Structure formats: C-alpha cells, structure tokens
Amino acid sequence: MDEFMQAAIDEARQGLAEGGIPIGSVIVHQGRIIGRGHNRRVQQGSVVLHGEMDAFENAGRQPASVYRDSVLYTTLSPCAMCSGAILLYGIPKVVIGENRTFMGEEALLRARGVEVELLDDPTCIELMRQFIAAQPALWNEDIGE
C-alpha cells in the first residue's frame, strides 16, 4: 500500500472514530504531507468540510507554485465541490482510493488536464460499504440526496 494512500485511509478511520463519514485525504508536496484531513461535516456541523476540503484547510496558505507541484490523495472520488478546489489550486494529479461507492467529477478533472489515478482499493471500498450499511441516512445527506 502506498504510504500516502495509507495516510488518507488513516484520516478516514479517524473521521469514523469521531462519529463522522469515513473519507480521508492528504496533499503531498515533494514527498511530504503538507495537509491532511477527513470529512468533518458531522463533527463541525459544516456544509463544506469534505475530506479534500479539510486537507486544503489544514495545508493552509501555500504559494500557487506549491499546489501546482502537489498530489492529492483521497479515499473516495472527489465531488464537484472538491474537484473545483483541485482545479482552482492547480493540483496536477489526484490519486483516488475508490469510485464504486460514489463517482465524482473524474471526467471533469481529466478534461481539465489533471492526471487521475484510480487504485480501486479494497480497504477504501470496505470502509464505505460498512459505513453506508450502518448509516444510510447520513451518507445520503452528505451526497445531497
């Protein structure tokens, strides 16, 4: 397992342990994690703190050149909001744990020149399968259904 996807999975597990949705993300610049986060909508009562957004928030203000030379890892395919942030900050590559649970805006990212790598990781798939079975209403709220 890639150490950075493992870090994103660790974030997802932390979110689950906090009573939230198990989606995690890390932003890596030159082989070093500069931002890590997990979905904290439940914990913070937030409408925007998806895993990727939390990782951006925790990375803080970075020069555009840093984001343009970073890779974002996320356990689940990024939604429209998170994909928008990826495009806004010029992240050139996104590594996705899985997209079976939710197919985000991968086509948009690719169309805008972002390299998208899908791992189809069994751990990411199982985390979401178990969560959705236990908390279907919370999952449906998060994806806007």
Side-chain angles (χ1 to χ4, degrees):
M1 160 86 53
D2 178 287
E3 68 178 296
F4 299 124
M5 183 52 69
Q6 185 59 58
I9 290 169
D10 292 345
E11 284 290 326
R13 287 187 172 133
Q14 182 179 339
L16 184 62
E18 295 170 356
I21 299 164
I23 302 167
S25 181
V26 296
I27 301 169
V28 177
H29 179 254
Q30 296 182 347
R32 185 176 68 87
I33 296 173
I34 61 168
R36 58 177 64 234
H38 51 273
N39 187 303
R40 294 192 304 141
R41 290 183 67 252
V42 174
Q43 301 92 311
Q44 298 293 319
S46 170
V47 70
V48 296
L49 280 181
H50 284 186
E52 300 91 335
M53 301 301 281
D54 194 39
F56 275 117
E57 182 70 15
N58 290 324
R61 289 178 62 193
Q62 299 289 334
S65 60
V66 169
Y67 285 125
R68 286 193 211 110
D69 189 34
S70 293
V71 178
L72 184 142
Y73 291 75
T74 181
T75 58
L76 186 64
S77 186
C79 74
M81 174 180 65
C82 296
S83 294
I86 289 163
L87 294 173
L88 178 67
Y89 293 107
I91 300 285
K93 180 176 180 179
V94 176
V95 180
I96 298 169
E98 68 108 342
N99 64 5
R100 296 183 191 194
T101 302
F102 175 79
M103 173 57 80
E105 299 295 329
E106 295 175 32
L108 171 65
L109 292 171
R110 285 187 181 101
R112 295 281 297 273
V114 176
E115 179 185 348
V116 176
E117 180 181 341
L118 176 65
L119 301 180
D120 205 29
D121 181 79
T123 302
C124 295
I125 294 166
E126 188 61 16
L127 265 172
M128 290 307 297
R129 188 195 67 73
Q130 290 179 6
F131 172 75
I132 292 168
Q135 299 279 350
L138 185 53
W139 170 244
N140 287 330
E141 172 191 316
D142 195 58
I143 60 170
E145 290 185 358

